[in-house]
Amino acid sequence: MSSNWVEVCAAGEIDEEDVIRFDHEGRTFAVYRSPDDEYFATDGLCTHEHIHLADGLVMDDIIECPKHNGRFNYKTGQARGAPVCVNLRTYPVKVEGGSVFIAIA
Amino acid sequence: MMHIVIVGAGECGARAAFALREKAFDGEITLIGAETHLPYERPPLSKDGLVSAAPPKYVADADRYDEAGITVLTDAVVEKIDRGGKAVMLSDGRSIEYDRLLLATGARPRAFPGVPEGSPHIRMLRTHADALAIRAALEPGRRIAIIGGGFIGLELAATARKLGAGVTLLEGLPRVLSRGVPEEIAAVIAERHRSEGVEIICGATISGIEDNGNGALILLADGGSISADIVVVGIGAIPNADLAEAAGLAIENGIAVDETLRTSDSDIYAAGDCCSYPLTHYGGRRVRLEAWRNAQDQGTLVATNLIGGSEPVSSVPWFWSDQYELTLQIAGLADGAARTVRRDMEEGAFILFHLDADGRLIAASGIGPGNAVARDIRLAEILIAAGARPDPAALASPETKLKKLLAA
């Protein structure tokens, strides 16, 4: 299935070691910029109680849910301990012409 | 093969069981719970879980216990610990031997003195069954009276309003949330409840509660009375330390444990709501926390220590509550603060940072819609754990990102 690249924002709109929320066609995503200036994207809602992860805290390669501190590795989507046990889906990201795009399958 | 037995199948006990496997413990694990359910999350019981009357939100599905090789005994009541024989005795006559024992027995609601047990109209809230019983009495046109202006009482009030019931909330002290929540934040919450039509009566002295057949009547010391279809008592909790006490373990506001969560018996540990422990961040003062995060953190930590580790508790106390669209979050213990710095944020949200006389951040309390304060409270928690002395001007200014202070 071919990917559908969607423009998220200008690259500079996401602070280093931070995350923003991106909504597209009824779905919500979280798009991250790592401390070493790489970009990543995951589903936007925590798999524990469907809280927006973009309100949470990015530390190194971890996103922590703002509600109950569930943690995920945002590069791999892997759940990293209680209370979350279901991984996040991740999406390919590219930066082109100063903008961030994610591939929504 | 080493056998670890966990008494108490709540958040803490379940987390400890899984954490043992995550730490590569390959012995036997038995988790014993008195309820008929597998371990479930209690926070929803006064919130969305009450609205939906849905099945419990389980900590993990049954197959995950099977996959992890954790034996779960539900509907099983432990009656006695035989320390000499290193076994727990169940009420059905079974005896289960342990090498190491974890008591994660939680706490139970404090009853109102003199109230007869078993009244369908006078209830407390601790279990899923309790929540279902309260839920059944709430609908438009019904009236609930809540005794106690703590987290449980207030969350229940918000949920009851959502369900359309009329609410009267009685608090004996001059304000709600007097334990651990700053007055400015409690005032926001009280005002929000009043705007929803909740009648809050502070400074109330209750002389008795009577079941009058169709409902209940609260008798006030000033001669007044309040009638309701259901009365829910939420006046705090008592640690379930009876088993430990009967077994001769040290007790001090719950089961007394050291900083590694070990009781006075070196083969028995305790964690979660049932135990008091020395809190290193606050001069080693002994505390007992009734909090979901604490149950999780201690469950995880105690797993390390049950299998030979000696890690001390280092997490900062953390609490949260949801009422209407508001979320309150608190990191640390604010009592003992010499100075409070306020940070105003968007949408009326604000955070109070509590500093001690040396300028060290000891707590942060925030309230706002949704997750408005969450990120900053989490960062404050990290600063508290690090013993940071942040610049008060930076704390007060919402333009200053707290994350920048971490590097300072």
Side-chain angles (χ1 to χ4, degrees), chain A residues 15-19 48-49 51-52 54-59 64 66-69 71 81-83 85, chain B residues 11 15 41 44 57 59 64 292-293 296 318 320 322 327 329 370-371 374-375 378-379 381-382 401 403:
Chain A
D15 284 346
E16 205 175 291
E17 200 178 26
D18 211 348
V19 55
H48 174 237
E49 279 198 0
I51 303 296
H52 282 285
D55 292 331
L57 182 65
V58 175
M59 284 180 294
E64 192 174 278
K67 198 73 183 175
H68 304 135
N69 310 115
R71 290 170 196 178
C85 48
Chain B
E11 189 83 45
R15 181 86 290 273
E41 297 191 3
K57 181 172 168 54
V59 173
R64 284 193 59 224
W292 181 80
R293 239 281 281 287
Q296 287 208 332
W318 185 89
W320 103 95
D322 294 331
T327 291
Q329 289 190 354
N371 295 311
R375 198 186 294 208
R378 179 72 182 99
L379 287 162
E381 182 190 340
I382 297 169
K401 288 196 170 186
K403 211 168 179 181

Side-chain angles (χ1 to χ4, degrees), chain B residues 48-96:
Chain B
D48 291 347
L50 194 70
V51 175
S52 64
K57 181 172 168 54
Y58 291 106
V59 173
D61 295 333
D63 53 2
R64 284 193 59 224
Y65 293 92
D66 292 342
E67 285 162 19
I70 297 164
T71 304
V72 188
L73 305 181
T74 53
D75 206 9
V77 177
V78 174
E79 282 200 328
K80 189 181 170 221
I81 304 167
D82 171 7
R83 285 170 58 194
K86 294 185 77 169
V88 293
M89 313 299 191
L90 271 54
S91 59
D92 61 9
R94 278 181 289 179
S95 165
I96 300 171

Side-chain angles (χ1 to χ4, degrees), chain B residues 121-333:
Chain B
H121 306 114
I122 306 168
R123 298 271 185 182
M124 296 189 286
L125 176 56
R126 180 69 183 175
T127 65
H128 180 67
D130 293 337
L132 285 182
I134 293 168
R135 172 72 177 79
L138 298 180
E139 57 186 61
R142 294 295 195 93
R143 205 148 186 96
I144 181 173
I146 297 165
I147 299 177
F151 284 151
I152 294 287
L154 289 162
E155 288 175 4
L156 192 53
T159 306
R161 286 303 299 140
K162 204 180 274 186
L163 291 167
V167 181
T168 301
L169 184 142
L170 298 151
E171 166 59 51
L173 294 169
R175 69 165 171 97
V176 299
L177 294 173
S178 53
R179 212 181 63 159
V181 179
E183 192 164 359
E184 281 171 85
I185 288 179
V188 170
I189 289 176
E191 181 49 40
R192 185 71 188 87
H193 277 278
R194 289 191 171 110
S195 76
E196 288 288 333
V198 174
E199 183 186 14
I200 297 180
I201 303 170
C202 290
T205 305
I206 295 163
S207 52
I209 314 172
E210 293 173 356
D211 185 326
N212 60 10
N214 299 317
L217 192 68
I218 299 174
L219 306 170
L220 299 171
D222 65 8
S225 66
I226 290 160
S227 66
D229 295 293
I230 186 167
V231 170
V232 180
V233 176
I235 53 173
I238 299 168
N240 290 324
D242 318 33
L243 268 180
E245 190 166 9
L249 298 177
I251 303 291
E252 194 179 334
N253 182 23
I255 304 167
V257 293
D258 66 13
E259 69 279 6
T260 67
L261 302 175
R262 194 165 66 175
T263 69
S264 53
D265 179 324
S266 60
D267 290 322
I268 305 179
Y269 288 71
D273 293 18
C274 67
C275 73
S276 69
Y277 68 101
L279 190 51
T280 47
H281 292 297
Y282 298 84
R285 69 189 257 206
R286 184 167 283 278
V287 295
R288 188 177 65 79
L289 302 177
E290 292 159 11
W292 181 80
R293 239 281 281 287
N294 180 61
Q296 287 208 332
D297 287 351
Q298 292 199 346
T300 305
L301 178 84
V302 79
T304 300
N305 296 341
L306 280 164
I307 52 177
S310 55
E311 276 189 38
V313 177
S314 63
S315 51
V316 171
W318 185 89
F319 309 88
W320 103 95
S321 178
D322 294 331
Q323 294 164 42
Y324 311 106
E325 79 289 359
L326 295 174
T327 291
L328 155 71
Q329 289 190 354
I330 296 178
L333 300 177

